[in-house]
Amino acid sequence: MILAILSGFVLAGCTPFISKFIKGKGSLLLPILPFGLFVYFFSFLKEIGEGQTFRFNYDWVPSYGINFGFHLDGLAILFALLITGVGTLVFTYTTSYLKGHHYLDRFYGYLSMFMASMLGLVLSDNIITLFIFWELTSISSFFLIGFNNDDPKSRKSALLALSITGLGGLFLLAGMVLLGYIGGSYQFQELLSQSTFIKEHTSYGWIVGLIFIGAFTKSAQFPFHFWLPGAMKAPTPVSTYLHSATMVKAGIYLLARFTPLLGGSAEWNTTLILVGSITMVYAAIHSVLRIDMKGILAYSTISALGILVFLIGLGTEASLLAAGVFILVHALYKATLFLITGIVDHETGTRDVTVLSGLSKVLMPVAIAAGLAALSNAGAPPFFGFIGKDLIYEATLAYGDWAMVLTIAAVVTNVCLLFAGLLAGVKPFVGSLPSNFTSLHLPHPTMWIPPLILAGLGLVFGLFPSLVEGLIVQPVFSSMVIDGAPVHIKLWHGFNLVLGLSLLTLTLGVILYMIVKPSSSLFSKTLKFEMIAPQTLFEIFGKFFNAFARFWTGLFQNGYLRNYVITILGFLTILLAYRLYQGVNLYIDTKQLTALTIYEVIVALMMIVAIVFTVFSRSRLVAVASLGVMGYTICLIFLFYSAPDLAMTQFSIDTLTVILFVLVIYNLPKYKNFSSKAVRIRDGILSVFFGSLIAILTLEVLSEPLNRETSIFYAESAYLLAKGKNVVNVILVDFRGFDTMVEITVLVIAAIGVFSLLKLRLKSIEKE
Amino acid sequence: MKTLIFKTASTYLLPLLVLFSVFILLRGHYLPGGGFVGGLIASIAFVIHSFANGLEQTKNLIKFHPGFLMPVGLCIALISGAAPLFIEQSFMTGLWFENPIPVIGMVGSALFFDAGVYLVVIGVTLTIIFTISETL
């Protein structure tokens, strides 16, 4: 299992080495990976249909309870099949779509990385690894959206998508950690048994809120929806993959997954219904006003995601069933429409629906796929979309007092979506063919077969719902609803209100399509509201954030060493002073003190003289030399108290420090005052304060009872365990050898820093 | 500072101090000393030489940039730490040859580790001091 998930990362890691191969014929071999994974997951389908689930556990950080726990149940397998299935088709499609592209190898690298992250996300049982894969999808989608990296708009969209989803990711992490802390486990299946306890906990609201922000940002819910239309700057295969079946569905997956654990409360349901319904209506209306095929599809995707959030929010068995089916319905028709948009764009060079028409005469198979997808989207019988739409209406109609309002919202949304589907799937293919398109010819089969397969499945599943009922829909339903009644989906429900609503939707949608002609004037009307759009607000926030960061950095990181030292010392002084203010127990046990020896007196006197010289000398060289004397006297103290190793090291270090100082100071102008008197007094006061605080601290440490356990252990075991008699050295190279290893690495980094800073500056001066 | 006495003395001091630093490095496991101090002493030896004869002379003497000692030292330390992994012991387990080698004494992985530290310290110190005295 872990191999299946990581294989995408492995392939991504290999792409730089086989780039020539990929750019040649080799790209045709790449779809084998997702297809292999698809077959692998497909082989589990039968057992899962019978109600089994699979667990796979691999230890990672067992001490923190973080492991690679994978859980394969209905919900996970639905997503895994979508990811690998649509992945196979997208991989195939790309071989022609981006044929000969300069960065084709990179593209496949990003794509397989994304696929692997998505698989990890839906299969993870541990909520921390789930979060890690969640972030990996954000990062890999950033690369995919910004794939056309020489286009500034594309880069901006990628950054916007990353910042929104990344922001949500942070909230999600907080939510997960809180959940794990309260539930006492990071394993989802273990948390599930704590469900009632978590729901009654005082922090429940926080957990739900944090997880919601994560899910809403990822799944482009209002008011975080605006990154998704921008992400359409990506090549079409990416849009297909990210926005039909995977990336944006991650939020939906999260909500569906957490429904049995956190769902069912008023906070959960009301928020989801509210956000979901606002999103679905708002985005559906927007999709009507667009003229770019991708723009239409983007907003209809947001709207569909709104529907899913809304259905999960309703939380009834009927609505969760509808959500499960709609995920599949939407993935099938939306992926088809995106792929078709790609073909149209690829062949004609435009995606403007006001220009495109009559393409069925030259792109027949594409037109068939588009028609099938548009019909499934429209919810026309006998397509799978019809079943999906019926289930949605059934769910809203059964929802108590609010049934009326919710149903109207659903109908409005569906009418607009139907219109959008017709606009993108039918409009470009009917009517008369403009003369400049007559010379078009059908692209390579690797491009038009994938949409045809997806659209065909939409029809097949509609005609024979039993194909998916037992194998997929039932397990998906059982992983969202524990102990639910067995589900049954069918095409024909008899004459009832639901059928009436379906027909009403169809009629209204077709009428709308007849009346409203897409035009750029309609679209320009929406631009007036740009001022108060969430995107504008977000950008203002971003600018403010940047300005603040610049101000803050300028304040603290101003490049003057003295300011850094003042900040550090001042902060420490305040912190320590506050601690000491709270009460300090100072006393010196005079009985324990040994008599003063003559050496100690002499050394102390030397120190005082050295300090006075350092501070008051007018010559810098004298100051540095007296600082050296100061260091040597400390060496003497170490020697008296039997620490020869320390003394030796201190002696060499002090020698080198003096040399370094002399080297630097030698080049400064002599007898020039760089600081005013006021500054010197301020620095003096600060140093006196800091010095006395350290002295008090030292005394306080002395008055604490001493724990000698560690030093006794080292002293006793140095020879026995490490065959050394010099304890200090044994600690350095053996007991704490790892620390030393890291320390010398830090030293090397520091040296490289000094070297590159000085040498680079020299080079830039030489250039001038 | 290019006085005759200092110059003459430094030519004798350099080999003596470097020998002394190696001595300090080798005795480290039993008596005061070790790679860190040894490295510092060796670098002081070279710094003294450069002060007396000029930086160029010292550089010619060393033949290569002292910075190259840093990766070499790091590698030695890392290899001596990783060596126990090959005989299925955990990282940084102390390994020792059974019999002492004349003059040097007991030899074990800790000694190699210390030698790595020694080289890194020489590399770091000389790189920093040489760079600063060159550029300023």
Side-chain angles (χ1 to χ4, degrees):
Chain A
M1 173 57 76
I2 197 160
L3 191 71
I5 290 166
L6 295 183
S7 58
F9 291 117
V10 174
L11 179 65
C14 292
T15 45
F17 306 105
I18 51 169
S19 76
K20 274 236 172 73
F21 177 69
I22 292 177
K23 282 175 194 164
K25 290 273 176 206
S27 63
L28 283 169
L29 289 177
L30 289 177
I32 292 176
L33 174 72
F35 185 67
L37 291 175
F38 181 78
V39 172
Y40 173 71
F41 287 114
F42 200 82
S43 68
F44 286 102
L45 204 53
K46 190 166 173 292
E47 279 105 328
I48 285 179
E50 287 162 3
Q52 281 188 42
T53 56
F54 295 86
R55 286 189 57 81
F56 305 86
N57 244 323
Y58 307 89
D59 275 345
W60 187 20
V61 195
S63 45
Y64 286 106
I66 296 170
N67 51 15
F68 279 115
F70 297 112
H71 185 78
L72 193 59
D73 63 354
L75 200 59
I77 201 149
L78 168 67
F79 276 92
L81 287 177
L82 281 177
I83 292 160
T84 50
V86 178
T88 310
L89 298 177
V90 167
F91 269 64
T92 317
Y93 182 85
T94 310
T95 55
S96 298
Y97 187 81
L98 287 179
K99 194 172 191 171
H101 193 283
H102 188 49
Y103 292 134
L104 190 63
D105 50 339
R106 283 189 200 178
F107 186 82
Y108 275 113
Y110 299 151
L111 204 62
S112 44
M113 192 159 76
F114 177 78
M115 181 181 74
S117 326
M118 237 7 251
L119 275 180
L121 168 60
V122 298
L123 292 168
S124 283
D125 185 42
N126 187 297
I127 55 178
I128 295 297
T129 46
L130 188 149
F131 165 77
I132 291 170
F133 284 116
W134 176 280
E135 289 293 88
L136 279 172
T137 61
S138 293
I139 294 166
S140 43
S141 68
F142 166 76
F143 288 122
L144 285 169
I145 295 168
F147 180 65
N148 294 323
N149 54 17
D150 43 7
D151 177 10
K153 274 188 189 160
S154 172
R155 291 201 300 266
K156 195 180 161 215
S157 306
L159 206 58
L160 188 70
L162 181 69
S163 50
I164 298 279
T165 52
L167 186 77
L170 287 180
F171 282 96
L172 181 68
L173 175 64
M176 293 295 196
V177 171
L178 195 59
L179 179 62
Y181 178 71
I182 289 166
S185 166
Y186 287 113
Q187 301 293 340
F188 186 82
Q189 297 301 322
E190 282 171 28
L191 284 171
L192 213 49
S193 57
Q194 304 265 349
S195 177
T196 33
F197 171 70
I198 294 170
K199 277 183 203 164
E200 281 159 16
H201 199 277
T202 43
S203 300
Y204 172 72
W206 281 101
I207 298 175
V208 169
L210 291 167
I211 289 178
F212 275 176
I213 294 179
F216 291 164
T217 48
K218 196 81 159 183
S219 284
Q221 295 301 295
F222 187 87
F224 304 112
H225 63 279
F226 49 88
W227 69 265
L228 200 147
M232 292 296 147
K233 292 280 177 295
T236 312
V238 176
S239 312
T240 314
Y241 202 30
L242 262 59
H243 302 136
S244 66
T246 54
M247 166 91 167
V248 294
K249 292 271 174 69
I252 304 297
Y253 167 78
L254 191 77
L255 294 177
R257 177 58 84 199
F258 279 82
T259 297
L261 176 61
L262 300 172
S265 67
E267 294 102 313
W268 177 274
N269 289 350
T270 320
T271 319
L272 287 185
I273 292 176
L274 211 63
V275 172
S277 49
I278 290 177
T279 310
M280 69 185 192
V281 177
Y282 171 87
I285 293 172
H286 255 282
S287 71
V288 173
L289 303 173
R290 303 282 142 170
I291 48 169
D292 174 19
M293 279 171 84
K294 261 190 162 181
I296 296 169
L297 293 179
Y299 275 98
S300 72
T301 303
I302 299 176
S303 178
L305 294 168
I307 295 178
L308 284 168
V309 169
F310 167 78
L311 286 174
I312 293 172
L314 291 180
T316 58
E317 289 190 11
S319 73
L320 290 174
L321 172 65
V325 172
F326 191 64
I327 290 172
L328 186 57
V329 171
H330 176 250
L332 290 177
Y333 77 71
K334 193 51 67 65
T336 313
L337 289 177
F338 268 119
L339 290 176
I340 284 160
T341 307
I343 297 176
V344 170
D345 190 16
H346 196 256
E347 299 303 314
T348 66
T350 176
R351 299 194 303 253
D352 189 339
V353 284
T354 53
V355 179
L356 295 164
S357 70
L359 290 177
S360 66
K361 295 186 179 69
V362 281
L363 305 170
M364 198 54 202
V366 182
I368 293 172
L372 292 178
L375 286 172
S376 185
N377 168 46
F383 286 88
F384 198 37
F386 177 70
I387 300 178
K389 203 149 288 182
D390 273 8
L391 288 170
I392 296 174
Y393 289 145
E394 262 176 45
T396 55
L397 280 174
Y399 200 74
D401 302 338
W402 290 88
M404 211 45 211
V405 182
L406 297 180
T407 311
I408 290 173
V411 170
V412 170
T413 310
N414 276 326
V415 168
C416 292
L417 282 186
L418 198 160
F419 174 81
L422 290 179
L423 212 55
V426 174
K427 167 85 178 49
F429 296 97
V430 294
S432 58
L433 187 68
S435 56
N436 52 339
F437 292 155
T438 45
S439 59
L440 293 182
H441 54 89
L442 207 58
H444 195 267
T446 49
M447 277 180 84
W448 57 260
I449 289 180
L452 209 54
I453 293 177
L454 286 171
L457 281 178
L459 179 61
V460 172
F461 289 164
L463 287 172
F464 309 103
S466 55
L467 278 179
V468 283
E469 183 190 79
L471 286 180
I472 294 180
V473 177
Q474 175 68 51
V476 170
F477 180 71
S478 352
S479 45
M480 287 193 282
V481 185
I482 296 163
D483 305 327
V487 297
H488 193 59
I489 53 172
K490 54 181 188 252
L491 194 61
W492 184 247
H493 287 261
F495 294 100
N496 55 15
L497 188 55
V498 174
L499 184 70
L501 284 172
S502 270
L503 290 179
L504 179 72
T505 313
L506 268 176
T507 332
L508 283 177
V510 173
I511 292 173
L512 192 67
Y513 177 66
M514 294 295 178
I515 297 171
V516 183
K517 288 289 161 227
S519 68
S520 46
S521 64
L522 215 54
F523 172 62
S524 59
K525 277 181 194 147
T526 60
L527 293 178
K528 284 182 202 152
F529 299 99
E530 200 85 315
M531 276 302 288
I532 50 164
Q535 176 159 13
T536 323
L537 296 180
F538 185 79
E539 275 165 9
I540 291 169
F541 175 72
K543 274 184 193 136
F544 166 76
F545 209 77
N546 254 335
F548 180 73
R550 198 167 291 134
F551 161 76
W552 194 254
T553 316
L555 196 66
F556 282 104
Q557 306 288 329
N558 49 16
Y560 289 108
L561 185 62
R562 54 175 177 274
N563 285 12
Y564 293 145
V565 175
I566 288 176
T567 315
I568 294 169
L569 291 190
F571 183 72
L572 259 181
T573 312
I574 292 168
L575 214 65
L576 287 177
Y578 176 70
R579 169 75 188 77
L580 292 177
Y581 175 75
Q582 286 181 326
V584 56
N585 181 21
L586 265 194
Y587 83 106
I588 301 168
D589 189 355
T590 39
K591 280 176 211 156
Q592 279 197 347
L593 294 179
T594 48
L596 271 180
T597 60
I598 184 75
Y599 310 114
E600 283 161 0
V601 176
I602 293 175
V603 166
L605 279 178
M606 277 163 71
M607 269 186 170
I608 292 168
V609 173
I611 291 169
V612 171
F613 259 91
T614 315
V615 176
F616 294 103
S617 159
R618 302 234 347 123
S619 152
R620 289 192 193 86
L621 280 175
V622 172
V624 168
S626 15
L627 209 59
V629 172
M630 178 79 203
Y632 290 151
T633 50
I634 293 176
C635 289
L636 287 177
I637 293 184
F638 284 147
L639 267 183
F640 292 146
Y641 292 98
S642 55
D645 268 298
L646 264 178
M648 269 165 89
T649 316
Q650 176 81 25
F651 186 83
S652 337
I653 287 282
D654 255 302
T655 313
L656 285 169
T657 315
V658 170
I659 291 172
L660 265 180
F661 264 123
V662 169
L663 277 177
V664 176
I665 283 171
Y666 196 67
N667 291 285
L668 292 179
K670 276 174 192 159
Y671 305 115
K672 191 161 185 270
N673 259 332
F674 284 103
S675 47
S676 66
K677 200 155 198 175
V679 169
R680 295 184 129 213
I681 291 174
R682 179 198 66 186
D683 293 351
I685 292 173
L686 187 65
S687 357
V688 168
F689 261 110
F690 190 67
S692 21
L693 272 171
I694 294 293
I696 294 174
L697 268 189
T698 318
L699 287 176
E700 210 191 344
V701 167
L702 281 180
S703 64
E704 294 286 323
L706 202 57
N707 186 354
R708 288 194 154 274
E709 204 179 312
T710 322
S711 46
I712 289 172
F713 166 80
Y714 282 140
E716 280 178 350
S717 336
Y719 194 69
L720 294 177
L721 294 178
K723 305 191 185 194
K725 287 176 188 154
N726 177 1
V727 180
V728 177
N729 185 266
V730 168
I731 291 174
L732 278 178
V733 301
D734 205 313
F735 289 141
R736 316 285 318 196
F738 206 79
D739 294 5
T740 314
M741 186 77 222
V742 178
E743 277 158 19
I744 54 177
T745 317
V746 171
L747 273 182
V748 170
I749 294 169
I752 294 172
V754 170
F755 181 77
S756 48
L757 277 177
L758 288 172
K759 288 284 175 185
L760 283 180
R761 206 186 63 174
L762 197 70
K763 286 215 175 108
S764 66
I765 292 169
E766 275 168 6
K767 264 185 204 163
E768 287 162 12
Chain B
M1 275 192 274
K2 291 180 182 173
T3 65
L4 190 60
I5 298 173
F6 191 33
K7 225 173 170 176
T8 322
S10 75
T11 31
Y12 293 103
L13 270 178
L14 177 65
L16 274 179
L17 277 174
V18 171
L19 263 182
F20 179 64
S21 73
V22 175
F23 165 69
I24 289 282
L25 160 72
L26 291 178
R27 81 203 281 258
H29 219 54
Y30 303 98
L31 296 161
F36 199 79
V37 190
L40 286 175
I41 293 173
S43 9
I44 290 175
F46 286 108
V47 171
I48 288 177
H49 188 267
S50 78
F51 270 33
N53 301 295
L55 192 57
E56 286 308 310
Q57 292 283 330
T58 318
K59 276 187 160 177
N60 288 339
L61 194 73
I62 307 181
K63 298 268 193 313
F64 56 89
H65 193 283
F68 287 110
L69 289 175
M70 302 191 293
V72 173
L74 271 185
C75 284
I76 293 177
L78 192 66
I79 290 169
S80 75
L85 292 177
F86 292 105
I87 53 164
E88 297 188 356
Q89 300 254 12
S90 61
F91 189 66
M92 294 224 112
T93 313
L95 296 179
W96 295 86
F97 289 111
E98 284 186 13
N99 299 310
I101 291 173
V103 186
I104 299 177
M106 290 293 284
V107 173
S109 61
L111 185 65
F112 287 101
F113 185 80
D114 227 7
V117 175
Y118 175 82
L119 290 180
V120 169
V121 170
I122 299 181
V124 168
T125 322
L126 290 187
T127 307
I128 292 179
I129 289 185
F130 283 5
T131 315
I132 289 180
S133 49
E134 257 174 26
T135 30
L136 290 175

